[in-house]
Amino acid sequence: MNSLILRTTTRLLIGVLLLFSVFLLLRGHDLPGGGFIGGLVGAAAIALYAIAYGYEHAFALLRIRPRTLIGVGLSLAVLAGILAAFAGEPMLTGLWWIRDVGPWTVKLSTPLLFDVGVYLVVIGVVLRMLFSLEEH
């Protein structure tokens, strides 16, 4: 689509949408949200870019193949489950690492790792479907 308004708006919105998708991913760690909805928003941002600038430019923006995102995401999700087994807990049991770093409290956990895996899988699957439709 060759619309100056769409291209300009997309250029302004894509950063906000990608940042919002990461916010949803991290917010879902403790509140509603998480990897699935964050991944959908991230994929929608790149889909908007593909509509405005074309498939080739969106693929160049992504810099990584959607299949690779799917593979990395699945690996992270499986790793999140296996880490609990290595700690002697049932698979997919949440393990937490909470530390105070100055004025902030850093909370890392296997559920966050699982959410990041889901986030990458959702982005990869949606973009793979979108790019496949564009190719045909």
Side-chain angles (χ1 to χ4, degrees):
M1 181 176 285
N2 192 8
S3 166
L4 179 62
I5 295 172
L6 179 62
R7 287 181 177 216
T8 304
T9 305
T10 299
R11 191 175 301 154
L12 294 173
L13 283 179
I14 191 160
V16 174
L17 288 172
L18 290 175
L19 193 61
F20 185 61
S21 76
V22 173
F23 168 75
L24 288 173
L25 166 68
L26 296 177
R27 181 180 181 265
H29 192 53
D30 292 324
L31 299 169
F36 187 81
I37 190 68
L40 285 178
V41 171
I46 296 173
L48 177 65
Y49 193 85
I51 292 169
Y53 290 95
Y55 159 76
E56 296 84 13
H57 288 93
F59 196 77
L61 173 73
L62 193 58
R63 296 184 184 173
I64 189 168
R65 294 174 25 174
R67 283 186 195 172
T68 305
L69 285 176
I70 295 169
V72 170
L74 284 174
S75 298
L76 289 177
V78 169
L79 178 66
I82 290 175
L83 285 176
F86 285 137
E89 300 288 334
M91 189 161 170
L92 290 174
T93 300
L95 300 175
W96 294 83
W97 186 78
I98 301 172
R99 295 287 184 262
D100 289 325
V101 180
W104 299 286
T105 300
V106 176
K107 296 190 294 186
L108 299 175
S109 65
T110 54
L112 176 62
L113 187 63
F114 185 82
D115 274 346
V116 170
V118 170
Y119 178 83
L120 293 176
V121 168
V122 169
I123 289 176
V125 167
V126 170
L127 292 180
R128 178 71 185 135
M129 288 189 300
L130 180 73
F131 292 164
S132 294
L133 288 173
E134 180 67 25
E135 290 173 358
H136 297 288

